[in-house]
Amino acid sequence: MEKIIIKGGRPLRGQVTVEGSKNAVLPLQAAAILAVQGTVTLNNVPPVTDVQLMNRLLRFLNLKTAYGEKQRQLVINGSVPLSSEAPFEYVNQMRASLLVMGPLLARTGQARIALPGGCSIGARPIDLHLAGLRKLGATIKQDAGFIDARCDHLVGSRITLDFPSVGATENLMMAATMAEGITTIENAACEPEIVELANLLNKMGGRVHGAGSKVIRIQGVYYLHGAEYTVAPDRIEAGTWMLAAAVTNGDVIVRNAAAAYNTSLIAKLEEMGVTVIKQEDGIRVLGTSVLIPASVKAMPYPGFPTDLQPQMTVLQLLANGTSTMEEHVFEQRFNHLEELRRMNADFQIAGSVAILDGPTRFSGTEVAATDLRAGAALVLAGLAATGITQVCNPQCLDRGYYDFYQKLHQLGAQIDRFDVKEKFKIKPEQPRQENKGSEPE
C-alpha cells in the first residue's frame, strides 16, 4: 500500500509551474474522434493518469495515440474506421469517458457506452447528456449496464439544460458539430474548459459560437479535420498551489497561473487576509499568521470552483473564527471533512452547508484520500499539521496532479511517497547471538 508521509509545520517558499489543464484535455481527446481526416495534435498535455486512461479508451475505439512526455505533446489519429463500443473495463475508472458518446454518435451513428465511474463524490446523473442527445435525434436505450445510442443522422435543435453541466455541454457541443442545421444550447456551462473545446472544434472546421456564455450556437458541418492546439494551464492545479501557500503561511510564485480564471479564489484569499500579487508570468501568494473567517459557495463558473472546495475548507479551518462552505454542484463532497476530523477539525454539516470552526490546530495522523481533490486537501492539512501525517491511497492524486509531492518537496515541504510494504518490510525475527565482548551489540 502506497502512502504520502508529511512532517508538517514548514512554510512553502519558492516557485512552482502549473501543467496543462487536465479538465480541458479530456474533452479535447474525445473531440479527436470527429476528425475523419488528418491528426489532432495537442500541446501542453499533462502526463496524469486520467489522460492516460482516455488514451487507452481511444485506442480501443481504434484511434492511434502517441504521447511525448518530455514535449508534453499528444498526437491522435482517427482517420480509420472506428469501433463504437466502450466497455466497462475502460469506462469504469473515469467518468469523463462518457464524453466519447457525443462524437461517436456524430461520426458513426452509434455509441454503446458502459455506465461511467470516477471519483466518489456523490450522484452525478447523466440524464442531461441523454436528454440532449435525444433532442438531436438519437434513440437511446439503457440495459445491462450499457447506454446504447443510435441515429440515422443528428439534427440540430434547441436544448435547454436544467443545470449548467460541464460534461453535458461538452458532449452536446461535440455531437452538434456534425448535426444537420443549427443547435442552440441554453443554460450552457461557462467554464474556461468549454471555451478550450470550442476553440479546438473551430480549428477542426466546426462552427461554434458563444462558448463561455450561457447560450452556445453550433452550425453543423459535413466533416471535421485534424488540427493543432495548445492547452491552457490548469486553473485547479494553480488554485491548489495558491491554497498550499496560504495554508502554510508561505511565499510561493505559481508560474503560468491565470488570474482571470481564478478571480473567485483570489477574492476569497484576499478577504481572509492573504496577499495575492498578479505577475506577468503567474501569481505570487504570501500567507498570513492570522486568517480571517470567510463564507464560500461552490458554484458553477464563474463562481467558486467545486474542485477547489475541499482544499479551501482546510484554509477556512485555520481561520480565527467560524467559516461556512456551501456546496451547490456535487452532493457528498464533504467526505474529506470526516478525515480532517481525525486531524482535530471541528465542524458541523447541515445539508449542503459545512460550518467550520477555527482556528484548528491540525495534528498529524493516518487519513485516506477518497477522491482526487479530497486527497489534495488532506495533503494540505498535513503540511499545516504538527507531527506526522500519512495519506493513504495517493493514487487518487495522480489523476489530476503530476509530480505533486515532488513539487511540494522542491518548495520546502518535508514529504515523501513510498510503498509501505517495500519501505517497512518486516524481517523474520533472528535468534540473538552471544556477545563475544569486542563488538558492540
Side-chain angles (χ1 to χ4, degrees):
M1 178 176 64
E2 280 194 288
K3 289 183 180 180
I4 288 179
I5 309 297
I6 308 158
K7 185 177 181 181
R10 300 184 65 171
L12 300 182
R13 301 190 185 280
Q15 302 179 13
V16 64
T17 301
V18 177
E19 304 280 348
S21 171
K22 183 267 290 189
N23 286 343
V25 170
L26 298 177
L28 302 186
Q29 290 173 274
I33 292 170
L34 295 164
V36 298
Q37 177 179 92
T39 61
V40 171
T41 301
L42 303 177
N43 301 311
N44 198 30
V45 175
V48 295
T49 56
D50 271 11
V51 170
Q52 297 167 16
L53 287 168
M54 182 64 88
N55 280 342
R56 288 177 55 201
L57 175 56
L58 293 180
R59 288 194 293 270
F60 183 86
L61 296 173
N62 208 31
L63 289 90
K64 294 179 173 60
T65 70
Y67 180 62
E69 183 173 323
K70 185 176 181 180
Q71 299 81 11
R72 297 291 199 269
Q73 185 179 78
L74 173 62
V75 180
I76 307 171
N77 188 339
S79 57
V80 293
L82 302 183
S83 169
S84 59
E85 179 170 325
F88 181 79
E89 63 181 289
Y90 290 94
V91 177
N92 177 55
Q93 301 177 65
M94 184 179 61
R95 182 180 178 78
S97 51
L98 186 68
L99 292 174
V100 303
M101 176 172 285
L104 278 177
L105 262 178
R107 169 95 182 257
T108 70
Q110 56 185 338
R112 180 172 166 80
I113 313 293
L115 288 170
C119 287
S120 302
I121 54 175
R124 298 198 280 180
I126 60 173
D127 297 357
L128 297 177
H129 299 247
L130 305 185
L133 292 173
R134 286 190 177 101
K135 277 276 203 176
L136 294 175
T139 300
I140 299 175
K141 297 179 181 179
Q142 185 173 327
D143 181 55
F146 276 84
I147 301 165
D148 199 327
R150 296 177 183 273
C151 66
D152 291 330
H153 64 280
L154 297 175
V155 179
S157 180
R158 180 179 296 273
I159 303 167
T160 302
L161 297 176
D162 292 338
F163 179 84
S165 162
V166 174
T169 301
E170 292 168 340
N171 229 338
L172 297 175
M173 283 171 60
M174 290 186 281
T177 54
M178 293 175 64
E180 180 183 334
I182 296 175
T183 297
T184 302
I185 305 174
E186 298 177 338
N187 197 29
C190 302
E191 273 73 1
E193 294 77 20
I194 300 295
V195 178
E196 291 284 284
L197 177 58
N199 289 343
L200 175 63
L201 291 173
N202 288 339
K203 291 194 75 171
M204 294 169 64
R207 297 178 181 177
V208 182
H209 307 278
S213 73
K214 285 291 185 181
V215 180
I216 300 175
R217 290 184 175 85
I218 304 106
Q219 170 70 58
V221 297
Y222 289 110
Y223 73 96
L224 278 81
H225 52 74
E228 184 169 355
Y229 189 74
T230 299
V231 181
D234 194 315
R235 63 191 176 98
I236 303 302
E237 184 194 353
T240 301
W241 294 123
M242 293 165 67
L243 284 163
V247 161
T248 62
N249 192 13
D251 181 357
V252 176
I253 297 173
V254 186
R255 301 287 186 196
N256 293 340
Y261 289 161
N262 288 281
T263 55
S264 58
L265 171 61
I266 291 172
K268 287 301 173 182
L269 288 175
E270 292 178 335
E271 181 182 329
M272 296 181 74
V274 177
T275 301
V276 180
I277 303 171
K278 301 170 187 177
Q279 303 182 165
E280 286 187 9
D281 58 348
I283 299 172
R284 182 179 181 184
V285 178
L286 296 93
T288 176
S289 58
V290 181
L291 288 161
I292 302 168
S295 296
V296 182
K297 295 181 181 180
M299 301 282 287
Y301 190 85
F304 192 91
T306 183
D307 279 352
L308 287 177
Q309 180 257 98
Q311 302 92 305
M312 184 66 184
T313 58
V314 176
L315 188 66
Q316 290 176 291
L317 283 164
L318 291 169
N320 190 22
T322 300
S323 299
T324 60
M325 173 63 77
E326 297 183 41
E327 172 61 59
H328 294 287
V329 180
F330 295 127
E331 62 181 42
Q332 295 180 21
R333 201 160 200 177
F334 290 140
N335 289 343
H336 67 284
L337 289 175
E338 291 302 328
E339 294 299 302
L340 290 177
R341 193 192 296 278
R342 294 166 52 79
M343 300 178 69
N344 288 344
D346 184 7
F347 63 89
Q348 299 82 41
I349 296 176
S352 61
V353 180
I355 303 165
L356 310 162
D357 295 319
T360 302
R361 291 176 175 81
F362 287 115
S363 178
T365 188
E366 186 169 357
V367 290
T370 54
D371 63 76
L372 168 58
R373 308 306 175 183
L378 296 177
V379 171
L380 264 57
L383 294 172
T386 58
I388 304 295
T389 301
Q390 302 180 52
V391 180
C392 303
N393 194 27
Q395 296 89 339
C396 284
L397 288 158
D398 299 334
R399 294 187 56 193
Y401 299 101
Y402 179 68
D403 278 352
F404 190 56
Y405 85 92
Q406 293 98 323
K407 289 181 178 180
L408 284 169
H409 181 75
Q410 291 167 7
L411 291 173
Q414 289 186 278
I415 186 171
D416 203 353
R417 174 174 170 170
F418 49 78
D419 190 309
V420 177
K421 291 180 181 177
E422 293 298 323
K423 189 79 173 180
F424 297 112
K425 189 174 182 180
I426 299 175
K427 298 179 180 179
E429 186 176 348
Q430 300 293 325
R432 287 176 59 87
Q433 295 186 4
E434 183 180 351
N435 184 11
K436 300 296 185 180
S438 60
E439 296 292 331
E441 287 189 81

